Amino acid sequence: MDLAFLNPLYEHPGPWASVYLGPAVPSESTAHEQSLAAAAVSRELAEQGADAATCRALREAVDEMRHEADPHGRAFFARDGQVVLDPPLASPPPAPEAFWTPLPRTAPLLDLAGEDPVCLVAYVDRRGARFELRGALGSEDAGAVAGRQWPLHRTSTVDWSERHFQLRVENTWEHNAAEVAEALAVCQEETRADLLILVGEDRERHAVRDRLPQPLLDRVVEAPHGPGSRLLDEDVARARVEHVRRRASDEVGRFLAARGPDAEGRRGAVEDVADLVEAAREHRIDELLVRPAGPDTHRALWVGEDPDQLAVRRTELRTLGQGRGLDEEHTWSARADDALLRSAVATNAPAISVTAATGATEGEVPVGGLGALLRWK
């Protein structure tokens, strides 16, 4: 997950209000129910110590959700009487949650707003293909490509006089498959689709796949439907879930392979909290892996206003801050997952939830719930 969109949350110090809410359910009493939800959020934050201006800003923002078309809900991050960020969610939270903490409570976003692959569906036949973009919010036409229209069909005879015609048919099919593959690659680049789904008869699907650029092959899924049938939402959802699971499993595999030392004795991955903190301070996190159920995710770290100011112990943080005006008034206890995510954002490192990689035979990875692939300068 690219975390760049979280940058506005770290441009100002906390404390921060973080709220996760599911979608507003349309009904005759939607306005009243949303008002009650907004009041409950405001009350919960006030009980945790949030200031009145921030509670009021969030109450108004939550109340306005009844006018939004977010199918899975929304997260809100606010401070000093202002909602700074309100990203839509890719899946609804199990229950409404509100937090008043020194750092924004961003870790739940890895599961709730993380992998939400956009699918580019290609309905392929011998004449060409039509493209459809399918995402969480619905579908839209994404264009079409028409290849050569003749000759397309072989004759039933095996007479030698027909061989030249049969070869022309084969050439037409191959030409059209190449045109479809080229157009599909261009469409993927324009739409930034995460997943390509090829729909059609076996031969046509395979011919297009064989001609796609190598970097796109890991994104391709084939669906054994006839070319004229529209792919069902359930099929798309299944492909999206499998894509997320496969990507998480791949990252877990990379992490496991990198844990051992290389020829120079350096490890390419760490999961001990102290090692993660050191890597974060030295800007060596290349990708952060989070297993939200792990015990280390809610372990307390000590943080300052700067993303590089984090430590396992408060005394260590004060030592790091000597000469930079870091005193007890500017150090706070924060969850380890939120503190490491702030460091990842500051160094442009991505993060991924490995929740979907539940089939990994290696067991609970990372062991404590937090791990990182490292970069070395």
Side-chain angles (χ1 to χ4, degrees):
M1 180 179 183
D2 184 351
L3 303 175
F5 76 101
L6 293 178
N7 270 303
L9 301 184
Y10 304 114
E11 294 173 355
H12 305 283
W16 284 86
S18 308
V19 174
Y20 291 86
L21 284 178
V25 180
S27 69
E28 292 182 2
S29 56
T30 294
H32 177 65
E33 291 170 359
Q34 203 63 29
S35 247
L36 291 177
V41 164
S42 178
R43 186 166 55 251
E44 171 67 20
L45 289 170
E47 290 173 357
Q48 294 182 41
D51 61 275
T54 299
C55 290
R56 184 167 55 252
L58 277 167
R59 179 169 184 162
E60 292 172 357
V62 171
D63 193 42
E64 284 297 308
M65 274 186 69
R66 67 179 184 271
H67 302 303
E68 305 294 333
D70 300 316
H72 303 297
R74 191 170 283 270
F76 299 90
F77 300 95
R79 64 172 292 280
D80 197 25
Q82 180 181 4
V83 176
V84 176
L85 197 66
D86 59 342
L89 302 178
S91 56
E97 292 188 290
F99 308 91
W100 180 248
T101 48
L103 294 181
R105 181 78 180 98
T106 53
L109 288 174
L110 294 181
D111 274 327
L112 299 178
E115 292 287 327
D116 184 24
V118 174
C119 301
L120 180 58
V121 183
Y123 298 96
V124 180
D125 60 26
R126 296 176 185 176
R127 292 178 170 80
R130 59 185 178 86
F131 304 144
E132 182 185 33
L133 206 59
R134 302 278 283 272
L137 298 179
S139 63
E140 60 181 278
D141 179 75
V145 57
R148 294 174 182 168
Q149 303 301 299
W150 188 90
L152 290 171
H153 303 287
R154 293 171 171 173
T155 62
S156 57
T157 179
V158 292
D159 189 284
W160 285 101
S161 64
E162 296 296 328
R163 173 160 298 195
H164 179 65
F165 182 79
Q166 306 286 38
L167 288 174
R168 291 181 65 190
V169 171
E170 293 285 343
N171 289 339
T172 299
W173 290 356
E174 292 178 6
H175 175 272
N176 289 354
E179 283 206 1
V180 169
E182 182 180 358
L184 185 59
V186 170
C187 192
Q188 185 279 329
E189 184 176 1
E190 292 175 346
T191 61
R192 311 307 300 168
D194 305 285
L195 193 58
L196 306 179
I197 305 179
L198 302 179
V199 182
E201 301 298 336
D202 289 350
R203 173 167 180 155
E204 285 74 30
R205 294 199 319 268
H206 298 337
V208 170
R209 180 172 188 152
D210 290 346
R211 289 164 175 79
L212 284 170
Q214 185 69 30
L216 292 183
L217 294 182
D218 287 343
R219 301 172 183 258
V220 176
V221 173
E222 296 186 42
H225 288 253
S229 60
R230 186 176 186 273
L231 202 62
L232 300 176
D233 289 342
E234 305 91 89
D235 296 319
V236 175
R238 193 159 39 246
R240 286 155 59 94
V241 168
E242 176 57 26
H243 172 77
V244 172
R245 188 205 64 77
R246 186 170 63 247
R247 183 166 184 274
S249 296
D250 288 346
E251 294 308 297
V252 167
R254 286 182 61 210
F255 175 80
L256 291 172
R259 287 193 299 186
D262 61 14
E264 299 178 17
R266 301 184 306 188
R267 287 178 296 166
V270 293
E271 57 188 328
D272 178 77
V273 172
D275 291 336
L276 287 164
V277 167
E278 181 181 1
R281 288 200 301 251
E282 296 177 356
H283 298 184
R284 286 191 291 108
I285 292 180
D286 194 48
E287 181 178 45
L288 186 67
L289 280 70
V290 179
R291 182 172 60 83
D296 286 343
T297 57
H298 50 77
R299 179 172 169 176
L301 295 182
W302 288 95
V303 300
E305 292 182 0
D306 191 311
D308 292 343
Q309 295 172 341
L310 73 163
V312 175
R313 292 176 294 277
R314 193 172 197 175
T315 53
E316 181 186 2
L317 186 61
R318 284 203 293 266
T319 301
L320 290 170
Q322 285 180 355
R324 290 191 288 175
L326 188 63
D327 54 31
E328 288 195 8
E329 290 185 4
H330 295 87
T331 62
W332 305 274
S333 174
R335 285 180 58 118
D337 51 5
D338 292 328
L340 289 168
L341 274 170
R342 181 179 69 157
S343 295
V345 171
T347 57
N348 299 315
I352 186 172
S353 167
V354 298
T355 302
T358 53
T361 57
E362 297 83 3
E364 297 180 336
V365 178
V367 174
L370 296 170
L373 289 159
L374 303 181
R375 60 170 77 116
W376 292 93
K377 296 178 181 178

